[in-house]
Amino acid sequence: MSDRPDGSADAAPIGVGGPAIRAEDPLGKAATENFPVALRILPVRIRQDLEAVYRYARHVDDLGDQASGDRLAALGSVEADVRALYNGGPVSDPVVAGLASTVARQRIPADPLLRLVEANRRDQHISRYETFDDLLGYCRLSADPVGELVLRVFGRATPERIALSDKICTALQLLEHWQDVSEDYHRGRVYVPREDLRHFSVREEDLGLRAATADVRALIEFETARAKDLLEAGAPLLGTLSGWARLSVAGYVAGGRATCAALRRGGFDPLRRVPRPTSPAFAGAFLRSMLGRRRPVTKGRA
């Protein structure tokens, strides 16, 4: 079986085996950090498909972040298994094999799965970004595929919706970076673009201090506002959705809005304490997201 020229994919071979999907399995960074999904109340089939794609995203992240030995080789093995899944070949990785029924049922193309691998491959040799556009390019690989996969699980993927989802997912990835800027620095990674560090007269080592200087706070306020603008630019996606899809995506948007509020409440100082959304802030943002107006959208899958 092979990818179609239009970017869609034939169904993966149902005969490819894999472990049973369990509700208690980890859902991956995308789900557990700034991508909240109300899995427990979703219909079983949707929940299983979301768990399968989140488990895959978490698996790829773990290989890129924590695997011992040759991480590039491990990521290459996952990529080979994803391609085998679509070409009818043998799949050795049980997490990739566990995607088979989801890929077949939801007609998920290989591209978003492969982009997640490429993001982690880049992490092995790139730890700094010169410009904001460079960082956005990374987010297109590391974050945007998750949103596309979610839309495909719900059968709501169209070019318009995917474009809006990309804005939301990039915003959430950026907000995660600004929350964890100190932790990332101590792990040898700086996601703040170098051009922004220079503009705000911030040195890299300033990101590792116990408390943010005035310049660092101004920098984080600027980056948060830029992420918030992206989030709100993608929020009209909610108006094109209904039912379970709207409920789940509203959780994503609410998580981003609540994170922006947490950064603001903390004085844009994520060095002293990592700002996390409070439950009331998330609940309020979720209700506001759910109550937004719906609008018509071109029907059909991407």
Side-chain angles (χ1 to χ4, degrees), residues 134-145 169-170 173-174 177:
D134 292 338
L135 183 58
L136 292 181
Y138 171 71
C139 292
R140 281 191 283 271
L141 298 173
S142 65
D144 296 0
C169 292
T170 289
Q173 179 76 80
L174 293 173
H177 290 327

Side-chain angles (χ1 to χ4, degrees), residues 21 28 35 77 115 144 154 156 213 237-238 241 245 247 288:
I21 297 174
F35 292 86
S77 178
R115 278 189 285 152
D144 296 0
F154 283 106
R156 297 294 183 267
T213 64
L237 172 63
L238 286 168
L241 301 172
L247 178 73
R288 288 190 294 274

Side-chain angles (χ1 to χ4, degrees), residues 30 53 55 77 81 104 148 158 160 195 199 216:
V53 297
R55 190 179 308 124
S77 178
D81 274 338
E148 179 179 342
T158 66
E160 178 188 7
E195 64 180 5
H199 180 77
V216 170

Side-chain angles (χ1 to χ4, degrees), residues 66-83:
Q66 303 172 18
S68 58
D70 190 337
R71 294 178 182 176
L72 285 173
L75 292 167
S77 178
V78 169
E79 179 180 352
D81 274 338
V82 170
R83 295 188 185 280

